[in-house]
Amino acid sequence: MNDLKENNIGTEDTKITRLPLTSDYVFKRIFAREENNSMLKDFLEAILNIHINKVEVKNPELTPNMADEKLGILDLKLDIDNEKVVDVEMQVSNEHNIKERSSTYLSKLAAEQLKAKQNYKELKKIITINILKYNYLERNAYHSIARMKYEDTKPIEFVDMGYNEEEEEATNTFEMHFIELPKFKQKNPECNTKLEQWLWLIDGSKEEKVEMSAKENEEINKTVKELNKLSKDPEEVAKYEEREWSIMRYNVEMKTNRELGEKEGEKRGLKIGEKRGRKNEKKAVIKKLHELNISIEQIAKVVELKEEDVKVDKIYGHGGLFKTKGVGQQILADAVNAPVSVM
């Protein structure tokens, strides 16, 4: 909830604390409303760099047990022009799984379509948009787009089919977008493009950039007004705080569980190590006593084990006594009552 400190904005008679769009609750509360559809359309056009005629929110509801849900549950599932299925998710906590999570969503959205249509050719394009409040990808870009592409042809597998340019895209059905806000903030761009304008509003850390973006883009200006209105509503502020406390509690629980798991693992490792150490120590003692030709019965008493546990299974010998084939082997075998091999 530290975001609130960064978003203090003045009005004519009082100051309000603007709720942050990086909150999944606030993000969905603003963009899932039917009356705010033009804002959502403009925001999606900025990210996808396409023209959109119509966008429909498929999951506008906020679940009753919202505060107890896991992180990321408050996503937006959208249909664009009846051609594309889009999932938008706001991520504030790095769970180190966003690539796997996003690809799993792609598969899930594809499966949902196939259940309804049972025809691969009718599959709509599926897009996931992940807005991250942390850096994750080892890439020099704040907006990274991933698609399925072919690897370069290996020389050993080359066949001259006469193609001057090879196909690069394996399929255009799947697409993933990753927007890393810290990288955007580090670049510190102006408000020249629609994407820059929207990201300054979502980041919310520089009010002068937000004001500039609102002047340049009417949809952003409308969004700012909606945010200010939401931020003045005590009930909405309470819901936002409830959600943030839930996320904080979840993160603490996850961290505590990881730490407990690590400590338990360390304890088990120490116990196993100590047990193996004692076992190896006893083996060394048993070996030494055998070398001194101590009887099995006496060795068992010394190391506090059963006689069958201290018997020698096999002995290896080389050089000296064992140069004469068979003689040394037999003498030692009779002495220790165990088979002897010559190396």
Side-chain angles (χ1 to χ4, degrees), residues 275-292:
K275 191 175 180 181
R276 286 177 180 171
R278 288 194 297 270
K279 189 175 181 181
N280 290 336
E281 188 178 329
K282 283 190 176 184
K283 280 183 178 179
V285 172
I286 292 168
K287 182 181 177 184
K288 191 67 178 176
L289 292 174
H290 275 298
E291 290 173 356
L292 295 172

Side-chain angles (χ1 to χ4, degrees), residues 283 286-288 290-291 296 308-318 322 329 332-343:
K283 280 183 178 179
I286 292 168
K287 182 181 177 184
K288 191 67 178 176
H290 275 298
E291 290 173 356
I296 297 293
E308 56 263 32
D309 293 330
V310 299
K311 286 180 179 178
V312 177
D313 295 324
K314 198 170 190 179
I315 290 179
Y316 292 91
H318 66 91
F322 303 100
Q329 278 179 273
L332 184 58
D334 292 340
V336 298
N337 193 27
V340 176
S341 295
V342 176
M343 298 173 68

Side-chain angles (χ1 to χ4, degrees), residues 112-148:
E112 288 174 357
Q113 286 191 65
L114 289 173
K115 282 180 184 178
K117 297 186 177 182
Q118 297 298 323
N119 189 331
Y120 290 104
K121 288 187 178 180
E122 294 180 15
L123 199 65
K124 297 177 183 178
K125 183 170 184 174
I126 302 166
I127 304 170
T128 58
I129 299 174
N130 306 278
I131 303 173
L132 315 178
K133 205 182 172 185
Y134 52 86
N135 288 338
Y136 188 78
L137 303 175
E138 294 181 8
R139 289 179 53 80
N140 300 314
Y142 64 79
H143 181 197
S144 298
I145 305 170
R147 299 186 180 97
M148 290 183 68

Side-chain angles (χ1 to χ4, degrees), residues 232-245:
K232 292 177 184 177
D233 188 332
E235 188 176 334
E236 293 293 349
V237 173
K239 288 179 180 178
Y240 158 75
E241 291 177 344
E242 182 183 24
R243 174 65 173 169
E244 293 303 294
W245 279 115

